[in-house]
Amino acid sequence: MHEAKHHTEHCHHQAADSASGASGSTHELLIEGAGCASCVGKIESALQKVPGVTQASMNFAQRTVSVSGNVSDQSLIAAVEAAGYGAKVAASESTADLLDEKEQADFAYYKRLMREMTIALGLGVPLMLYGLFIGEMTVNTTGERIGWLLVGLATLAVMLFSGRHFYVGAWKSLVNHNANMDTLIALGTGTAWLYSMVVVFFPQVVPEMARHVYFEATAMIIGLINLGLALEIRARGRTSEAIKRLIGLQPKTARVLRDGQEVDIPIEQVMQGDQVRVRPGEKIPVDGRVVEGHSSVDESMLTGEPMPVEKTADDEVVGGTLNRSGTLLFKATRVGKDTALARIISMVKQAQNSKPPIGRLADVISGYFVPAIMIIAVVGALVWLNVGPEPTVAFAVVSATTVLIIACPCALGLATPMSVMVGVGKAAEAGVLIRNGEALQTASRITAMILDKTGTITEGTPKVTEIVPVDSTDEAEVLRLAATLEQGSEHPLAQSIVESAKERELSLGSVERFNAIAGHGVEGSVEGRALLFGNEKLMHDRGITIDSYLERAQSMAAQAQTPMYLAADNRLLALIAVADPIKQDSVAAIKRLQKDGIRVVMLTGDNRETAKAVAEQVGIKEVFAEVLPEDKSKKVAELQQQGEIVGMTGDGINDAPALALADVGFAIGTGTDVAIESADVTLMRGSLHGLADAIAVSRATLRNIRQNLFGAFIYNAAGVPVAAGLLYPFVGVLLSPVIAGAAMAFSSLTVVSNANRLRLFKPQEH
Amino acid sequence: MLIINLLGLLLIALIVWWFWLYKSPTAQLDSGQITINVNDGVYDPAHIRVPAGQPARLGFLRKDPSPCASVVVFKDFDISEELPLNQIKEVALQPMQPGRYSFTCQMQMYRGELIVE
């Protein structure tokens, strides 16, 4: 692992060197066609002869050669080619490049398959039409023998050109005591061709009724399966759209301050601590902390949060997000592989490739599948030969060929990974990061969800929710006075007052003779007025009349708000309520969960009354209140003992043990400040809709997997017996190998296409 | 007919022996490392002996453009790696308990085995 990482860094430096065009830079080439160790010397000496090269050394295992010197890549490639090998510039290991390369390779393979398909069907289709409408495909006269011999040779050419990869693969697997799809196709088409050639060359060894040739089957099957594979590659490409979109978020260059000047450099060269400038409409290249400037940043591509976020000095910005209105100068804090975007990409990729337990049975079956099908083909043929109607040989051959061709282990193996790939990607698009296939599967089965109150259902930061002025005092004036007084206090409620004043852009004055009265409030003098700010008891102690506002204060408390009184010169000025406000969409999201049949429970350390008030507002009936932080996991266990499959949602830091104990732990993020490593599922935005989305996506994915697995099982379980001839005694028809070929080619395509349907899935927000 | 039936049964026995019962030859790690070619439907070598309790590094060189070959899965270790075409992708394994652990493609058609002892 360390070595691999080291290697990557090494490559980056090289890329940097050659980009800057410095003399004596290092070039890395990928060598093609070097089959033996003796090539190493030849290639190295050829490169050393190129003017300007100071050193060339080849790594035979990696098929790479690194060359130092002041030369161009082109002259090096030319030298290697002159020596009889192929060479190209070694690709950097950036994810975007790797993906491009993969797409190019896939496309080249797609084109090859389509070419091979055209040739095979070019022979197969006319032959099949001839057999269906024009003549019998039988061998009786010498003329027919010669004609079919030519067709047989043409079919052989198709097998060698279009079906070579099946036969090579089948042979290599065979000598390795392994069997795969190639084995089945090679055996099936090979049997049909070989039997036909026997009929052509030695018609006398076959009963007259069975002198039938099946060249069209061989050509058609090869063509159809190539077509199926080609379409499958196309469909597979679409399954990775989500990750492509994430990778596409990464800008290629950054504008960095170097020696007082702004220079554009490749993203790989940005270092931690660099000062980076982004203008309106540009993407933020790496993670960092704002040094100066003010702007709104669209983070929706990462968090799913539709509202732009205001950024000013000291705020964190995240690479890949879009700077909207102003210019920002920020200091890079995380670059390269450490950025939030890079970690998200690697986590999504990892999760996309992991398998949920539901796929395990299919895995076990596919391990034994191919040899089992071969045995079924032999048994089927024996049954036809022993008890079948005449011509038994022809029936035996057709049944064996059809069984071998129709069986599709791939559909079974593809069923799970394709859906996981699309489902996990879909979730990532909605700002939901799912750790692995197992978390995905369990999330789909959750029956009870525990929601932490502070920071999950509520914002987590208290705010002024209501100002009730006495007489005709202005609300803003009340807030300004209270905030001025509270400036010096460190109490969280005091901070919320100051914050609210700042939000309204009120300018605060100065306070004299400030005094904090522990447990009650504060007092001080502002602009010559003696201010007193605190709870009911403080007002009583100072003999200030508040009677007419007591009822109002009590109703505030019943709504989980904290009422505070502000008095000036011994007269009540206003009643101010502070509360941790419930997130705007918590109510709707909780309703979605409940509608999905999930038992929603609230968990909090707050006192029972506040807890009850919040729960009532968001429509939660069950509450665990006054729970100490260390007891949170006990509540998870309690529900598990009741037989529930428990999801726990919290901030991922204070709730870590409870998240770990829950069947699925959901860490709710605030923006992109994600605790990616801590939970099974990370919700990038603060909204609880992310939670409902996560469950909806996981359920949709599992439903899709079940459809796929069911389809693949039924296809094989029904197709193989029918192909073997089980229906023949009842309806007198045996399946044609060509139809088997078409069915097999499109079965795995169907699986991939069904998985692709998930891309259209949209979680319902309301 | 008897001969044909006997031949058929023999063929079945051969299939069972060749694919399921036969013990394949194994390859050893060279200083904790080995390169495995991924081509034409097989991992070569496919059966690899690994000393227990030691980390191992497996380099996969995929030459097969077929998408089947593009991912290698070690299901016992929850490892799943994408293999780029014509480049060595290294999979680092933590020290393992003795036992047999399979590695496969996503569809279980490419199959290999680590024999840890």
Side-chain angles (χ1 to χ4, degrees):
Chain A
M1 212 57 162
H2 286 297
E3 279 228 353
K5 194 177 164 205
H6 182 79
H7 178 72
T8 318
E9 284 165 3
H10 187 62
C11 283
H12 283 158
H13 287 307
Q14 283 165 359
D17 285 350
S18 50
S20 61
S23 66
S25 60
T26 312
H27 304 258
E28 188 113 344
L29 298 180
L30 204 62
I31 304 295
E32 290 157 354
C36 56
S38 67
C39 309
V40 174
K42 264 170 87 178
I43 292 169
E44 283 178 354
S45 66
L47 285 170
Q48 270 152 7
K49 281 180 200 148
V50 177
V53 169
T54 51
Q55 206 206 342
S57 67
M58 178 163 173
N59 178 337
F60 180 65
Q62 305 253 13
R63 300 285 192 281
T64 55
V65 55
S66 60
V67 184
S68 320
N70 190 10
V71 287
S72 70
D73 288 329
Q74 283 72 25
S75 59
L76 295 175
I77 291 172
V80 174
E81 281 171 354
Y85 304 94
K88 61 178 180 186
V89 179
S92 77
E93 295 201 7
S94 86
T95 10
D97 291 344
L98 274 182
L99 203 77
D100 278 353
E101 249 176 65
K102 182 174 147 27
E103 266 180 13
Q104 278 168 18
D106 278 355
F107 186 63
Y109 191 55
Y110 168 81
K111 282 203 300 198
R112 193 182 108 191
L113 287 170
M114 289 303 268
R115 205 165 46 233
E116 292 174 354
M117 180 275 293
T118 314
I119 302 281
L121 291 190
L123 177 69
V125 171
L127 274 182
M128 195 175 72
L129 293 178
Y130 174 83
L132 283 176
F133 301 115
I134 301 167
E136 287 288 307
M137 301 187 76
T138 49
V139 180
N140 290 312
T141 65
T142 315
E144 280 174 349
R145 279 181 70 183
I146 295 171
W148 287 120
L149 176 65
L150 293 177
V151 173
L153 292 176
T155 310
L156 181 65
V158 164
M159 290 161 81
L160 291 180
F161 177 78
S162 303
R164 213 185 73 88
H165 53 283
F166 299 128
Y167 300 104
V168 173
W171 175 251
K172 288 238 180 135
S173 306
L174 181 72
V175 295
N176 271 285
H177 299 265
N178 201 352
N180 56 28
M181 194 185 85
D182 290 343
T183 317
L184 293 176
I185 297 165
L187 278 177
T189 54
T191 310
W193 185 81
L194 217 62
Y195 175 79
S196 308
M197 284 311 256
V198 168
V199 171
V200 169
F201 277 106
F202 315 104
Q204 62 282 5
V205 304
V206 194
E208 201 176 324
M209 276 172 75
R211 288 177 195 162
H212 193 286
V213 291
Y214 299 98
F215 296 123
E216 95 286 7
T218 301
M220 285 295 292
I221 290 164
I222 290 175
L224 287 172
I225 291 173
N226 276 336
L227 175 65
L229 282 176
L231 296 179
E232 189 189 315
I233 287 181
R234 271 298 163 91
R236 269 178 182 240
R238 283 197 287 275
T239 60
S240 50
E241 251 173 25
I243 197 94
K244 260 186 256 170
R245 208 166 297 153
L246 280 176
I247 290 169
L249 292 178
Q250 178 72 68
K252 300 242 184 300
T253 59
R255 188 174 303 113
V256 174
L257 287 185
R258 290 269 163 93
D259 306 324
Q261 286 201 321
E262 288 183 13
V263 282
D264 279 347
I265 57 169
I267 194 83
E268 294 85 6
Q269 293 176 28
V270 180
M271 313 246 242
Q272 213 176 338
D274 272 344
Q275 302 231 324
V276 185
R277 169 98 62 201
V278 270
R279 299 200 179 121
E282 289 180 340
K283 276 186 194 160
I284 290 167
V286 295
D287 295 359
R289 191 176 289 277
V290 177
V291 178
E292 60 175 55
H294 181 94
S295 180
S296 70
V297 175
D298 178 2
E299 296 187 338
S300 60
M301 56 293 280
L302 284 185
T303 62
E305 172 65 56
M307 293 299 289
V309 187
E310 293 296 317
K311 301 282 180 185
T312 179
D314 257 7
D315 284 341
E316 291 200 8
V317 289
V318 182
T321 57
L322 184 67
N323 179 32
R324 276 241 174 115
S325 50
T327 300
L328 290 174
L329 181 70
F330 71 90
K331 193 171 156 186
T333 51
R334 284 182 304 215
V335 298
K337 281 183 179 168
D338 300 324
T339 63
L341 179 60
R343 287 188 300 155
I344 289 168
I345 290 171
S346 89
M347 182 176 159
V348 171
K349 275 178 91 171
Q350 200 67 31
Q352 282 185 326
N353 282 332
S354 77
K355 265 190 187 178
I358 191 174
R360 272 182 205 148
L361 178 64
D363 282 355
V364 173
I365 292 176
S366 26
Y368 295 96
F369 191 87
V370 177
I373 292 297
M374 287 157 75
I375 291 172
I376 292 173
V378 174
V379 171
L382 286 181
V383 172
W384 279 106
L385 287 171
N386 282 295
V387 299
E390 286 299 332
T392 54
V393 192
F395 277 120
V397 168
V398 170
S399 112
T401 306
T402 316
V403 166
L404 290 171
I405 295 297
I406 206 166
C408 185
C410 289
L412 215 52
L414 276 176
T416 318
M418 285 298 119
S419 307
V420 171
M421 181 106 174
V422 182
V424 167
K426 196 75 211 171
E429 277 178 15
V432 176
L433 301 180
I434 298 172
R435 172 159 302 283
N436 55 33
E438 194 166 346
L440 182 78
Q441 180 171 348
T442 318
S444 76
R445 295 168 51 227
I446 284 176
T447 56
M449 176 65 76
I450 301 181
L451 301 175
D452 190 45
K453 187 194 82 122
T454 309
T456 302
I457 297 176
T458 65
E459 301 275 3
T461 43
K463 283 200 176 94
V464 173
T465 49
E466 214 176 323
I467 300 173
V468 186
V470 175
D471 308 330
S472 57
T473 323
D474 181 35
E475 260 192 42
E477 176 62 12
V478 168
L479 188 59
R480 192 185 67 85
L481 287 176
T484 306
L485 179 62
E486 289 279 27
Q487 278 174 106
S489 170
E490 282 172 5
H491 195 275
L493 289 180
Q495 282 173 9
S496 69
I497 304 259
V498 177
E499 280 300 313
S500 291
K502 279 187 184 160
E503 258 173 41
R504 295 195 192 185
E505 293 175 1
L506 302 174
S507 57
L508 306 184
S510 59
V511 57
E512 286 161 37
R513 294 195 300 278
F514 176 80
N515 177 34
I517 310 149
H520 291 88
V522 291
E523 61 182 332
S525 167
V526 175
E527 293 155 12
R529 300 166 85 180
L531 294 185
L532 191 62
F533 190 41
N535 59 15
E536 194 183 318
K537 182 134 195 317
L538 182 67
M539 298 295 135
H540 279 305
D541 287 355
R542 300 293 174 97
I544 296 166
T545 325
I546 53 166
D547 294 351
S548 48
Y549 288 88
L550 269 180
E551 203 175 315
R552 187 70 186 270
Q554 276 161 6
S555 85
M556 284 173 172
Q559 287 167 23
Q561 304 181 34
T562 309
M564 290 190 287
Y565 300 89
L566 177 68
D569 300 329
N570 287 327
R571 268 192 59 233
L572 185 64
L573 207 59
L575 178 59
I576 299 178
V578 173
D580 182 2
I582 290 165
K583 288 178 191 166
Q584 220 179 359
D585 43 15
S586 285
V587 179
I590 288 167
K591 207 170 272 169
R592 273 177 72 192
L593 289 173
Q594 288 165 334
K595 221 164 99 189
D596 285 342
I598 291 170
R599 172 180 169 195
V600 182
V601 184
M602 190 176 93
L603 179 75
T604 178
D606 284 2
N607 66 63
R608 237 163 257 285
E609 266 149 47
T610 313
K612 233 180 99 190
V614 173
E616 253 167 38
Q617 284 176 41
V618 295
I620 294 179
K621 293 186 188 68
E622 280 181 87
V623 180
F624 293 133
E626 292 168 25
V627 180
L628 296 172
E630 58 269 31
D631 288 342
K632 284 184 176 174
S633 50
K634 281 190 195 149
K635 296 295 173 189
V636 172
E638 212 171 277
L639 285 190
Q640 283 171 332
Q641 273 156 18
Q642 293 169 19
E644 304 276 13
I645 294 167
V646 181
M648 164 82 204
T649 310
D651 60 15
I653 303 153
N654 301 319
D655 311 322
L659 290 188
L661 184 70
D663 295 285
V664 185
F666 295 83
I668 195 154
T670 45
T672 40
D673 185 18
V674 283
I676 292 180
E677 278 77 21
S678 67
D680 298 316
V681 179
T682 304
L683 308 172
M684 304 271 294
R685 58 175 161 158
S687 163
L688 279 180
H689 274 304
L691 187 62
D693 288 351
I695 288 176
V697 168
S698 68
R699 286 187 176 179
T701 308
L702 264 289
R703 194 160 51 236
N704 196 272
I705 292 176
R706 268 185 228 112
Q707 289 162 355
N708 277 345
L709 282 176
F710 179 78
F713 270 116
I714 288 294
Y715 167 81
N716 281 299
V720 170
V722 169
L726 203 67
L727 288 184
Y728 188 84
F730 310 106
V731 293
V733 183
L734 192 56
L735 212 58
S736 143
V738 176
I739 292 182
M744 139 86 187
F746 291 96
S747 63
S748 44
L749 183 66
T750 311
V751 164
V752 180
S753 306
N754 188 44
N756 262 326
R757 261 185 347 110
L758 265 182
R759 288 188 307 138
L760 307 174
F761 171 80
K762 266 207 168 28
Q764 213 59 50
E765 285 252 328
H766 299 292
Chain B
M1 205 53 223
L2 183 70
I3 297 173
I4 291 177
N5 283 333
L6 282 178
L7 280 176
L9 293 177
L10 196 69
L11 190 58
I12 292 173
L14 198 69
I15 292 170
V16 171
W17 173 74
W18 186 261
F19 292 109
W20 286 332
L21 302 180
Y22 181 84
K23 292 264 173 284
S24 302
T26 53
Q28 298 277 358
L29 288 187
D30 182 14
S31 60
Q33 193 184 7
I34 195 164
T35 300
I36 299 163
N37 281 308
V38 186
N39 200 10
D40 294 329
V42 289
Y43 294 120
D44 178 29
H47 302 268
I48 297 153
R49 274 176 203 284
V50 181
Q54 282 179 30
R57 283 176 293 130
L58 310 179
F60 285 87
L61 178 58
R62 170 184 163 215
K63 296 176 184 163
D64 193 334
S66 150
C68 307
S70 65
V71 176
V72 63
V73 181
F74 291 77
K75 65 168 188 280
D76 300 298
F77 312 126
D78 232 350
I79 293 177
S80 166
E81 287 287 352
E82 200 136 331
L83 307 178
L85 198 56
N86 294 321
Q87 282 176 45
I88 292 186
K89 170 82 188 186
E90 196 169 74
V91 177
L93 298 172
Q94 299 300 315
M96 290 167 279
Q97 299 285 322
R100 286 169 174 265
Y101 306 100
S102 66
F103 54 97
T104 63
C105 70
Q106 276 184 326
M107 295 182 249
Q108 310 266 319
M109 293 293 104
Y110 282 70
R111 316 189 124 254
E113 188 183 36
L114 294 178
I115 301 147
V116 181
E117 47 189 23

